[in-house]
Amino acid sequence: MINEQIRDREVRLISQNGEQLGIMSAREAMKIAMEAELDLVKIAPGAKPPVCKIIDYGKYKYEQTRKEKEAKKKQRTVEIKEVRLSPNIDTNDLNTKVNNARKFISKGNKVKVTLRFRGREMAHVQQSRHILDDFAELLSDIASVEKAPKLEGRNMSMVLTEKR
């Protein structure tokens, strides 16, 4: 809220230099802001009494948006990459998939390892679990298991993340 929008009886006023001018009525604070040719901006509405500051509102708004953009820039989204395996995978193929997962994890992504069962392979689900365990073991130096292997329909999957 700025200027005439402030309807509180008393406000704690802070000058443009950052000095506290004390508690006064909103009208007096508005008068002081007008004399300085600046705006009266309510900064902490939840405080008792609310805190208002004498500043240039346009500049204040610009600073706020700049801070938000800066915070957004520092944010990093984590993607989930998927590596699909089958129960009758050979060791060399498994090593290739492990190397791909290693690249993904080193770039900061999570890796979802999915073991797909088709047809009669569903009869040997528990015997195939060791493939996911081996996969996690091969990546144990840089990754940890975030979500343990779990059977969901015809797929068994687990999620690996970078070690902290």
Side-chain angles (χ1 to χ4, degrees), residues 39-70:
D39 300 305
L40 184 67
V41 180
K42 191 188 280 188
I43 294 204
K48 294 274 189 234
V51 179
C52 293
K53 190 171 184 180
I54 299 173
I55 48 176
D56 180 9
Y57 185 67
K59 188 176 179 183
Y60 171 73
K61 201 72 174 157
Y62 171 74
E63 291 290 328
Q64 293 285 69
T65 54
R66 211 174 89 218
K67 281 180 189 172
E68 286 173 13
K69 280 183 185 175
E70 199 67 34

Side-chain angles (χ1 to χ4, degrees), residues 11-24 28-41 43 50-56 60:
V11 294
R12 182 178 305 273
L13 189 63
I14 300 172
S15 71
Q16 62 264 35
N17 312 354
E19 309 166 356
Q20 284 209 16
L21 301 177
I23 298 172
M24 58 183 69
E28 285 179 55
M30 189 64 207
K31 225 178 264 179
I32 295 170
M34 289 291 188
E35 288 170 10
E37 295 181 3
L38 293 169
D39 300 305
L40 184 67
V41 180
I43 294 204
V51 179
C52 293
K53 190 171 184 180
I54 299 173
I55 48 176
D56 180 9
Y60 171 73

Side-chain angles (χ1 to χ4, degrees), residues 83-102 113-115 128-139 158:
V83 174
R84 288 183 176 167
L85 309 171
S86 66
N88 52 3
I89 192 167
D90 200 25
T91 52
N92 289 329
D93 296 334
L94 185 69
N95 289 336
T96 304
K97 297 285 188 177
V98 166
N99 289 336
N100 287 343
R102 190 177 295 274
V113 185
T114 306
L115 190 58
S128 300
R129 185 189 173 106
H130 74 88
I131 295 170
L132 290 179
D133 294 335
D134 292 346
F135 198 92
E137 185 70 31
L138 289 168
L139 288 171
M158 71 173 173

Side-chain angles (χ1 to χ4, degrees), residues 80-84 104 110-114 116 155:
I80 297 181
K81 302 282 191 175
E82 187 173 15
V83 174
R84 288 183 176 167
F104 296 147
K110 291 183 179 183
V111 176
K112 180 179 181 181
V113 185
T114 306
R116 297 172 63 198
N155 300 325

